[in-house]
């Protein structure tokens, strides 16, 4: 009987101590992009394919972008490696390979320590062959 009572008290102590822990700081932080999709429209083959997605840390703690991954090798992202402090802005740059003629619709997944840890950005448009005279 004493053994059972001791086990029940130990389980109660463990469950209460687990519930008493505060949630991680990242759970209160949010990364907000000014836009989630950029439409290039129709662009000429070989033109500049770089665009920028601006974002703001709307939380109370620094946000770190741990990874930014494109859906294919024709799209190359770059992002800040340093923490973005509360209220500060950052930029995710995306370069699409405009040597590939045709329509495109590519996604870029931004992974961070924010409460919205995975944000999907999109670039789309059509690359037209150069005009001949």
């Amino acid at each position: 009987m004493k053994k059972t009572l001791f086990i029940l008290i130990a389980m109660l102590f463990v469950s209460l101590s687990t519930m008493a822990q505060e949630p991680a700081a990242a759970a209160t932080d949010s990364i907000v992009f000014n836009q989630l999709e950029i439409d290039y429209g129709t662009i000429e083959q070989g033109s500049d394919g770089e665009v920028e997605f601006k974002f703001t840390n709307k939380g109370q703690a620094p946000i770190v972008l741990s990874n930014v991954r494109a859906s294919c090798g024709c799209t190359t992202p770059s992002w800040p490696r340093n923490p973005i402090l509360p209220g500060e802005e950052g930029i995710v740059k995306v370069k699409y390979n405009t040597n590939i003629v045709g329509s495109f619709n590519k996604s870029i997944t931004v992974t961070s320590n924010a409460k919205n840890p995975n944000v999907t950005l999109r670039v789309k448009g059509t690359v037209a062959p150069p005009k001949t005279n």
Side-chain angles (χ1 to χ4, degrees):
M1 177 76 177
K2 287 183 182 182
K3 199 175 205 182
T4 305
L5 185 59
F6 177 74
I7 291 172
L8 287 173
I9 291 173
M11 288 175 55
L12 178 63
F13 177 73
V14 169
S15 65
L16 288 177
S17 65
T18 303
M19 291 188 323
Q21 292 179 2
E22 292 186 29
T28 63
D29 299 322
S30 182
I31 184 171
V32 177
F33 283 85
N34 65 342
Q35 59 190 43
L36 297 176
E37 180 177 279
I38 294 179
D39 188 347
Y40 286 78
T42 300
I43 57 176
E44 192 172 303
Q45 183 180 17
S47 61
D48 180 20
E50 188 169 282
V51 293
E52 295 181 345
F53 289 93
K54 294 181 182 178
F55 66 90
T56 305
N57 177 350
K58 296 286 188 175
Q60 302 298 318
I63 287 181
V64 176
L65 303 186
S66 56
N67 193 20
V68 179
R69 182 177 33 89
S71 59
C72 78
C74 58
T75 309
T76 308
S78 63
W79 65 95
R81 304 295 203 256
N82 56 319
I84 306 301
L85 299 177
E88 286 189 354
E89 295 181 345
I91 296 174
V92 173
K93 292 181 182 181
V94 176
K95 184 169 179 89
Y96 179 73
N97 179 358
T98 60
N99 290 320
I100 304 169
V101 175
S103 296
F104 63 92
N105 187 349
K106 305 299 177 185
S107 64
I108 300 92
T109 304
V110 178
T111 304
S112 72
N113 64 331
K115 76 176 179 181
N116 51 334
N118 294 307
V119 177
T120 302
L121 308 174
R122 287 205 164 282
V123 292
K124 66 180 186 175
T126 303
V127 176
K131 296 177 184 175
T132 57
N133 294 336

